C-alpha cells in the first residue's frame, strides 16, 4: 500500500494525539508535573495497510497503540475510525466499535488467563457481544483455532500446556474472534524464538490478505518492520521524527535518529560493513523533555537553533508518496 496517494479515505486517522500522565506530590497530592508519554502525534492508516511504528523502548509506541483503542484515555487529540470521531463516543458506542478494533499483546504468557481454557479465552468476546452461544460458540472457536494453525482439539486445554508461539497464535485467534477491521500488534513476536517469529509474521500477512485487515505494527526490530510494513513512522520521546513508505525510509533515511537506528540494525551478511552512528548520552526523561528538538541532546548534527526551536515538518524526497521528517536540517533555517 502507498501512503496519501491512495484515493480511498483512511480507515484510521490520528490528529494531534497526546497522552500525559500527572505526577502528584505533597500532602494534598497536587499535580506538580506531567509525563508527556505521547506528545502531538498525527498519522493515517489506510484500509489493508500495515503501518509500522518503531523507536527505542520508552518512546511511547505502546502508549499510542493503547490510546488508539481507548484502553487508556487520550489527554487531547482526535481519533477518527471510518470517519467517526472515536474520542467523542460514550461507553456503549466504544463497546460497539471495539468489535472493529482489536489488539495482539506483546507477552503471550501474561496476556492469557491461566485459569481459563483456550476455548473460553477465544470465545469470551463472542459471549460478551452476544454473537454466539452453545454449540455455535464451540464451532466458531474451533474454526478460529484452525485459522491460526492450531488443532480444534486444543479447545479444552489451558495456556500453560502450550509453547510461546502457540500461545501467541491463541492471542491472534482471540483478536480475530469479532471479525475486526483493524488490529494493533504490540511487538507480537519480540518474546518468541527467532525460528518462531517468521511463522507468526507470515501468519499475520496471510490473515491480512484473506480478511482485509489493517495493522498498526509496533516494534523495535527494524528488520521485522521492513519485512511486514507498508509505511513506517519513527518515534522519539513521544514525538514522530520521520514517516515514509517502507522502501523509501530504508533506502533514504533523513532524520539523524533514523540514521542512528539504521546503523545499529544487525545485517545478516558478515561481509558487509557499515559505519556505525553511536549516540552519546541517555534518552531524556519524558517528565522534563528538552526544549526545541527533543533529539538535540544526542544528535551528532545539532545546530544552535535546534536547542530552542521545535523542528518543522518537512516534505522530503522526490517520490509521489509522502516522506515527512521533523528536522531543522531540512527546514528553512538549513537553507539560510
Amino acid at each position: 500500500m502507498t501512503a496519501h496517494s491512495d484515493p480511498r479515505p483512511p480507515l484510521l486517522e490520528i490528529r494531534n494525539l497526546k497522552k500525559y500522565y500527572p505526577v502528584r506530590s505533597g500532602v494534598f497530592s497536587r499535580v506538580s508535573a506531567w509525563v508527556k508519554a505521547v506528545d502531538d502525534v498525527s498519522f493515517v492508516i489506510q484500509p489493508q495497510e500495515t503501518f509500522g511504528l518503531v523507536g527505542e523502548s520508552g518512546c511511547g509506541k505502546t502508549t499510542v497503540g493503547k490510546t488508539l483503542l481507548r484502553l487508556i484515555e487520550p489527554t487531547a487529540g482526535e481519533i477518527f475510525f471510518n470517519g467517526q470521531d472515536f474520542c467523542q463516543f460514550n461507553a456503549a458506542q466504544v463497546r460497539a466499535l471495539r468489535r472493529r478494533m482489536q489488539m495482539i499483546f506483546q507477552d503471550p504468557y501474561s496476556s492469557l488467563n491461566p485459569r481459563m481454557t483456550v476455548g473460553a479465552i477465544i470465545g469470551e468476546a463472542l459471549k460478551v457481544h452476544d454473537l454466539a452461544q452453545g454449540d455455535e460458540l464451540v464451532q466458531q472457536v474451533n474454526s478460529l483455532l484452525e485459522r491460526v494453525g492450531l488443532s480444534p482439539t486444543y479447545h479444552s486445554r489451558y495456556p500453560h500446556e502450550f509453547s510461546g508461539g502457540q500461545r501467541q497464535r491463541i492471542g491472534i485467534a482471540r483478536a480475530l474472534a469479532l471479525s475486526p477491521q483493524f488490529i494493533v500488534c504490540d511487538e507480537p513476536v519480540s518474546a518468541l524464538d527467532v525460528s518462531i517469529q517468521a511463522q507468526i509474521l507470515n501468519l499475520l500477512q496471510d490473515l491480512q490478505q484473506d480478511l482485509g485487515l489493517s495493522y498498526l505494527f509496533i516494534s523495535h526490530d527494524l528488520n521485522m518492520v521492513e519485512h511486514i510494513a507498508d509505511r513506517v513512522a519513527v518515534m522519539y520521546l513521544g514525538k514522530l521524527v520521520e514517516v515514509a513508505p517502507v522502501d523509501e525510509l530504508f533506502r533514504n533515511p533523513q532524520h539523524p535518529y533514523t540514521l542512528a537506528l539504521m546503523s545499529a540494525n544487525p545485517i545478516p551478511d558478515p561481509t558487509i560493513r557499515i559505519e556505525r552512528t553511536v549516540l552519546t548520552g541517555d534518552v531524556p526523561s519524558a517528565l522534563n523533555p528538552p526544549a526545541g528538538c527533543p533529539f538535540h541532546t544526542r544528535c551528532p548534527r545539532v545546530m544552535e537553533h535546534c536547542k530552542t526551536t521545535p523542528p518543522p515538518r518537512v516534505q522530503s524526497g522526490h517520490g509521489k508518496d509522502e516522506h515527512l521528517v521533523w528536522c531543522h536540517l531540512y527546514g528553512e533555517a538549513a537553507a539560510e
Side-chain angles (χ1 to χ4, degrees), residues 289-311:
C293 175
F295 187 58
H296 84 256
T297 59
R298 304 171 74 199
C299 182
R301 302 178 64 184
V302 62
M303 299 177 288
E304 196 58 35
H305 56 276
C306 298
K307 302 175 182 178
T308 56
T309 307

Side-chain angles (χ1 to χ4, degrees), residues 21 43 47 50 71 80 95 162 180 189 191 199 202 213 217 228 239 250-251 266 271 312-313 319 322 325 333-334 336:
Y21 291 98
F43 58 85
T50 299
L71 296 177
F80 290 90
R95 176 174 170 173
F162 298 94
V189 298
Q199 297 178 20
N202 290 337
L213 299 171
F217 191 88
I228 196 171
K239 291 181 176 289
F250 281 84
R251 182 181 65 251
T271 64
R313 187 183 76 168
E322 278 196 344
V325 58
E336 294 176 357

Side-chain angles (χ1 to χ4, degrees), residues 158-305:
Y158 288 85
H160 72 269
E161 300 179 61
F162 298 94
S163 67
Q166 290 174 319
R167 285 169 180 253
Q168 198 60 295
R169 289 175 185 269
I170 294 168
I172 294 171
R174 175 177 59 186
L176 295 175
L178 297 177
S179 301
Q181 293 175 275
F182 171 68
I183 298 179
V184 174
C185 304
D186 183 15
E187 304 209 33
V189 298
S190 63
L192 306 178
D193 292 341
V194 174
S195 60
I196 305 300
Q197 290 180 356
Q199 297 178 20
I200 299 299
L201 287 181
N202 290 337
L203 172 62
L204 290 173
Q205 289 181 310
D206 290 343
L207 291 171
Q208 182 177 48
Q209 184 71 27
D210 295 342
L211 304 176
L213 299 171
S214 297
Y215 296 139
L216 173 64
F217 191 88
I218 299 169
S219 181
H220 62 271
D221 189 324
L222 292 177
N223 287 328
M224 202 170 297
V225 170
E226 185 179 15
H227 174 71
I228 196 171
D230 299 300
R231 286 187 301 131
V232 183
V234 182
M235 277 192 79
Y236 182 81
L237 205 62
K239 291 181 176 289
L240 295 183
V241 298
E242 191 163 2
V243 180
V246 64
D247 293 338
E248 166 72 11
L249 185 78
F250 281 84
R251 182 181 65 251
N252 185 31
Q254 298 288 305
H255 197 280
Y257 178 62
T258 308
L259 289 165
L261 289 180
M262 296 288 187
S263 75
N265 195 35
I267 296 176
D269 188 345
T271 64
I272 298 178
R273 295 183 178 276
I274 62 172
E275 183 180 348
R276 301 290 182 187
T277 301
V278 180
L279 299 179
T280 58
D282 297 324
V283 179
S285 171
L287 180 61
N288 186 26
C293 175
F295 187 58
H296 84 256
T297 59
R298 304 171 74 199
C299 182
R301 302 178 64 184
V302 62
M303 299 177 288
E304 196 58 35
H305 56 276

